[in-house]
Amino acid sequence: YDITEQKEDYHFELDTETYHPMLVNGTLRNVVFTYGSDGSITGIKEIKDYTLTYLKASNRLKGSIALTKVVKDAVGNEIYPEKAEFTVHCVMKDKDGKAYTRDSQTVGSSESDGIVYRIVSRDGTKGERIGVTDSSGFDVKLKAGDTVEFLSLPTGTTWSFEETAGKIPEGYKQENFTNTTGTVEANTQYTSTLTNRQTAAHVNILKVSATDNTKLGGATFELYKDSAHRTKATDPNGNEVGTIQTSSEGIGAIGALPIGDYYLVETKAPDGYDRLTSDVVIHVTADGVTYTQADNSASQDPLKPTVKDGVLTYTITIKNSTGVQLPAAGGSGTLPYTLGGCALSAAALMYGLLM
């Protein structure tokens, strides 16, 4: 006899065995048979040692799995970039090793025919229930702080999670992925966490003329964490960013920078150009890099990076206007001419006295 439940709550599953009542020496016992390859009974495997007076069936709560997406910056702080989306390939199989499939159109209050999942966002908003429809596995797309919940999983369900390597957003790498495989037991909630870390944003300077975009070498800069220029900027390893100097191609490498605001100060302008009188403010965010140069341009649109070996490099174009450099800007300016004039005046005066 097989016991079945007609209106089973889909959060629960029936826990029972198949009963084969048989009189053994005048006592009703439950007998376990052995079967042949064609399904026919070939013998008795076991006779239960209790008197069969009733058939027993119980309900047990199904299990569940929650997979949470964590994203960190280059230093290790948790961040929530809006544009970065991460893909996890999931395979769910029943206790017999058969992949679950379920038409999403039939997802409702009765879910005994298959399994479903839903995505819960960081603010707690629960998405719609989605049926698992692909027997070869299925992809789930997650943003930072999202959790995908696999609900009401029958006992014996196996799971396998794998981050799709080719779909990791540029500028990120996998740091850790816990509990990627397992088997569900009744009334048990499992957790898995996928952590990706942002590779630090690499920033370069491109120094050009404000009039014709000629590339300018010989400019030097210092980078600070504060607008008062008290604290020098550091890379993700805590090393201080040194003096930045532009090459003949106008390029100056700042290097890797963690998320934050930075103040770039020009300490020496190219020959024949005015030094910038205000800071270039660089904003490194979870979604990229922007900057503001008050002297020659308004706030810039988000920069489009170049990508090499998974490293994102953002290039900031800094413009200088032509002019006569003042001594305070690091050049001699008109000082030689002033000194020369003073010397001539002194000579003339001495000549007059002698006469």
Side-chain angles (χ1 to χ4, degrees):
Y1 296 90
D2 290 322
I3 299 176
T4 59
E5 196 166 21
Q6 297 301 311
K7 293 184 178 180
E8 178 183 339
D9 185 324
Y10 68 85
H11 295 98
F12 295 85
E13 60 188 354
L14 193 64
D15 181 18
T16 185
E17 59 184 305
T18 300
Y19 290 92
H20 299 282
M22 178 179 289
L23 280 173
V24 180
N25 297 327
T27 302
L28 189 63
R29 298 287 184 84
N30 186 26
V31 178
V32 180
F33 294 112
T34 58
Y35 296 88
S37 59
D38 59 356
S40 61
I41 296 174
T42 59
I44 295 176
K45 179 180 180 181
E46 181 184 3
I47 300 175
K48 300 292 185 179
D49 59 2
Y50 57 86
T51 301
L52 186 61
T53 58
Y54 59 88
L55 305 184
K56 181 181 179 181
S58 60
N59 288 96
R60 57 189 179 189
L61 187 65
K62 295 179 180 178
S64 64
I65 308 171
L67 166 59
T68 300
K69 183 74 203 72
V70 174
V71 179
K72 296 180 180 180
D73 64 15
V75 178
N77 301 310
E78 194 164 339
I79 58 174
Y80 303 95
E82 289 297 324
K83 297 178 181 179
E85 194 172 60
F86 301 82
T87 303
V88 178
H89 186 71
C90 310
V91 178
M92 313 289 288
K93 296 182 179 180
D94 64 20
K95 61 183 178 61
D96 298 319
K98 183 179 179 181
Y100 285 110
T101 59
R102 179 177 177 80
D103 186 347
S104 294
Q105 300 300 319
T106 66
V107 173
S109 61
S110 177
E111 300 179 4
S112 58
D113 295 334
I115 61 172
V116 298
Y117 66 90
R118 69 183 175 197
I119 295 176
V120 181
S121 61
R122 181 163 59 102
D123 63 5
T125 301
K126 296 179 179 179
E128 63 178 349
R129 293 169 180 253
I130 302 172
V132 175
T133 59
D134 190 342
S135 60
S136 64
F138 52 97
D139 287 343
V140 176
K141 297 183 183 299
L142 299 171
K143 290 186 176 182
D146 285 349
T147 296
V148 54
E149 296 179 335
F150 297 91
L151 309 167
S152 301
L153 300 176
T155 299
T157 296
T158 61
W159 76 84
S160 174
F161 300 145
E162 181 181 7
E163 183 172 28
T164 308
K167 295 183 180 180
I168 297 176
E170 291 176 342
Y172 294 87
K173 60 183 179 180
Q174 185 185 119
E175 181 176 77
N176 194 24
F177 202 169
T178 66
N179 217 10
T180 56
T181 61
T183 302
V184 173
E185 294 183 4
N187 196 25
T188 306
Q189 289 74 49
Y190 301 88
T191 59
S192 175
T193 303
L194 170 60
T195 303
N196 289 84
R197 180 171 289 217
Q198 187 182 52
T199 56
H202 286 244
V203 180
N204 285 345
I205 296 169
L206 175 60
K207 188 72 167 173
V208 298
S209 168
T211 55
D212 58 8
N213 288 325
T214 299
K215 296 175 181 178
L216 305 175
T220 59
F221 297 85
E222 301 292 336
L223 189 66
Y224 297 90
K225 291 182 179 180
D226 61 308
S227 59
H229 307 158
R230 295 189 183 97
T231 307
K232 293 294 293 291
T234 55
D235 65 19
N237 296 319
N239 300 316
E240 188 175 284
V241 176
T243 300
I244 304 130
Q245 183 169 357
T246 59
S247 68
S248 60
E249 294 297 315
I251 296 294
I254 295 176
L257 293 177
I259 288 175
D261 291 336
Y262 300 90
Y263 300 84
L264 185 68
V265 180
E266 186 173 37
T267 54
K268 179 180 179 299
D271 293 341
Y273 288 83
D274 290 334
R275 183 174 63 86
L276 300 181
T277 59
S278 61
D279 300 349
V280 178
V281 184
I282 303 170
H283 311 282
V284 180
T285 71
D287 288 310
V289 175
T290 60
Y291 71 102
T292 304
Q293 181 185 347
D295 292 66
N296 286 302
S297 61
S299 180
Q300 302 296 302
D301 293 329
L303 297 172
K304 185 176 181 179
T306 58
V307 183
K308 183 178 181 181
D309 298 328
V311 175
L312 274 63
T313 300
Y314 299 84
T315 300
I316 294 173
T317 301
I318 299 177
K319 299 179 180 181
N320 279 80
S321 299
T322 55
V324 177
Q325 194 167 24
L326 299 176
S332 57
T334 59
L335 184 61
Y337 305 101
T338 302
L339 294 176
C342 291
L344 290 174
S345 298
L349 180 61
M350 290 295 295
Y351 180 78
L353 292 174
L354 292 174
M355 294 296 291

